[in-house]
C-alpha cells in the first residue's frame, strides 16, 4: 500500500507542486492550507508522515506540532525560512524528525521523506504497534528496555514516547554501552542515504530524549556527553 503524506502550508503553489511531485513518486497526498484544519485531520486519521510549514497564519507549524505531539508520534518534517536557526531549533526541540529550509529542492524533500519512512519501518511501524508479541530483538540495558517491533521504550517500567529519529539515536547509543558515538556516527544511524544534517540537529534530538526520560525519572543520567567527542550510553 502506498504511504500517505500530509502537506500543510498556506502557500497554494507549494502545496500543488509538492503534491504532484510526491504523487509521481507513488505517494498518496493530503493537503491542508492551515493548521486548524490539519490538526483535526492528522489526529483523527494520521498519515505516514507530515510536512509542516512553520510560518502560517492563525496556527503556525510549531503550535500545530505541539498539539499533534500530545496525541501522535507521526513523523514530521518542518519547512523553515532560510537561515532561521531559531525555527529549526524550536522545531527539533518540540519533536520534529527533520527540517528543510526554503527554498528547497523537491528531490531533496522526497529523499528525506523516504529516509524517514524507512526508519519508521525499521522501528516497527511507528508508535501504533498494537498488541504485537514482544520481539526477539528487544534491547535491554540496565533500566532501559527498547522493543523495535512495537516502537516501545520503557525506563524503570515507565513508558517513554519517542519519535522515530529519537528512537534510532537512542538505539545506536544503547547497542554498545560505554562506547562513545560521535555526532557523525549518530547521524549515520538516524539519517541514511548520505543525507547531511549538522551537529545542532543531533544535539537537539539528544536534549529532547533526555528531557523525555527525566519526565519519568528526574535523576536520569544514562546519556553522557563527552565534550569534543560525542555521546555514550551508560548502564550504571
Amino acid at each position: 500500500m502506498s504511504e500517505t503524506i500530509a502537506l500543510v502550508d498556506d502557500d497554494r503553489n507549494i502545496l500543488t507542486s509538492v503534491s504532484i511531485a510526491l504523487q509521481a513518486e507513488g505517494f498518496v497526498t493530503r493537503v491542508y492550507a492551515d493548521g486548524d484544519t490539519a490538526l483535526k485531520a492528522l489526529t483523527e486519521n494520521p498519515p505516514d508522515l507530515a510536512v509542516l510549514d512553520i510560518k502560517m497564519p492563525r496556527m503556525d507549524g510549531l503550535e500545530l506540532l505541539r498539539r499533534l505531539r500530545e496525541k501522535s508520534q507521526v513523523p514530521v518534517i518542518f519547512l523553515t525560512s532560510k537561515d532561521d536557526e531559531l525555527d529549526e531549533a524550536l522545531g527539533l526541540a518540540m519533536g520534529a524528525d527533520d527540517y528543510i529550509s526554503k527554498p528547497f529542492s523537491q528531490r531533496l524533500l522526497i529523499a528525506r521523506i523516504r529516509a524517514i519512512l524507512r526508519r519508521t519501518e525499521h522501528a516497527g511501524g511507528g508508535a501504533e504497534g498494537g498488541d504485537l508479541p514482544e520481539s526477539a530483538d528487544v534491547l535491554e540495558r540496565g533500566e532501559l528496555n527498547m522493543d523495535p517491533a512495537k516502537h516501545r521504550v520503557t525506563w524503570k517500567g515507565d513508558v517513554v514516547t519517542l519519535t522515530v529519529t529519537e528512537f534510532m539515536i537512542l538505539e545506536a547509543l544503547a547497542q554498545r554501552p560505554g562506547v562513545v558515538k560521535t555526532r557523525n556516527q549518530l547521524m549515520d544511524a538516524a539519517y541514511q542515504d548520505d543525507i547531511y544534517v549538522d551537529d545542532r540537529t543531533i544535539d537537539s534530538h539528544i536534549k529532547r530524549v533526555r528531557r523525555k526520560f527525566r519526565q519519568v525519572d528526574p535523576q536520569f543520567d544514562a546519556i553522557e556527553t563527552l565534550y569534543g567527542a560525542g555521546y555514550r550510553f551508560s548502564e550504571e
Side-chain angles (χ1 to χ4, degrees):
M1 183 179 295
S2 299
E3 292 99 335
T4 299
I5 310 300
L7 306 172
V8 188
D9 199 311
D10 61 331
D11 187 328
R12 294 283 184 178
N13 291 329
I14 289 179
L15 287 180
T16 299
S17 62
V18 173
S19 181
I20 290 173
L22 289 173
Q23 290 171 16
E25 294 291 324
F27 294 106
V28 174
T29 60
R30 289 156 37 192
V31 299
Y32 308 96
D34 65 84
D36 288 317
T37 303
L39 178 61
K40 187 173 187 297
L42 297 184
T43 53
E44 291 181 353
N45 185 20
D48 293 291
L49 183 143
V51 179
L52 313 180
D53 183 32
I54 286 187
K55 303 295 186 183
M56 294 187 292
R58 296 190 299 277
M59 184 188 298
D60 65 16
L62 292 172
E63 178 63 15
L64 173 57
L65 176 62
R66 186 188 69 79
R67 296 192 187 186
L68 185 61
R69 281 290 176 257
E70 293 175 353
K71 301 179 180 180
S72 172
Q73 292 299 314
V74 60
V76 167
I77 295 177
F78 260 136
L79 300 180
T80 71
S81 301
K82 187 176 181 180
D83 298 327
D84 198 335
E85 296 184 1
L86 178 59
D87 283 350
E88 296 166 2
L90 282 174
L92 292 170
M94 294 172 68
D97 290 273
D98 205 347
Y99 67 87
I100 295 178
S101 298
K102 292 182 177 180
F104 59 90
S105 157
Q106 290 185 358
R107 183 164 56 182
L108 173 62
L109 176 60
I110 291 170
R112 295 283 182 96
I113 288 173
R114 290 195 184 281
I116 291 177
L117 290 176
R118 275 192 290 272
R119 281 147 47 198
T120 304
E121 182 178 359
H122 171 80
E128 311 300 328
D131 294 324
L132 294 172
E134 187 171 273
S135 167
D137 295 326
V138 168
L139 183 65
E140 294 185 351
R141 296 290 186 265
E143 301 291 351
L144 176 70
N145 180 291
M146 299 185 73
D147 186 348
K150 295 181 180 180
H151 188 81
R152 188 172 187 269
V153 179
T154 62
W155 177 260
K156 296 183 178 180
D158 293 320
V159 174
V160 181
T161 303
L162 302 180
T163 67
V164 173
T165 304
E166 293 163 356
F167 189 100
M168 299 291 280
I169 290 173
L170 178 61
E171 184 179 37
L173 289 169
Q175 283 174 342
R176 299 188 66 191
V179 175
V180 178
K181 293 279 188 177
T182 67
R183 289 174 176 84
N184 284 337
Q185 289 173 320
L186 294 176
M187 288 177 196
D188 290 342
Y191 295 86
Q192 300 173 0
D193 299 328
D194 298 323
I195 292 176
Y196 174 77
V197 295
D198 61 26
D199 289 355
R200 184 179 63 253
T201 302
I202 296 299
D203 291 344
S204 295
H205 285 309
I206 290 289
K207 288 178 182 177
R208 183 166 175 83
V209 170
R210 283 174 171 154
R211 187 180 307 124
K212 287 182 174 182
F213 274 86
R214 285 169 182 163
Q215 288 174 351
V216 302
D217 178 9
Q219 305 304 314
F220 175 81
D221 61 356
I223 299 177
E224 302 175 348
T225 301
L226 283 85
Y227 294 98
Y231 298 96
R232 71 181 172 197
F233 183 86
S234 172
E235 291 185 82
E236 298 179 359

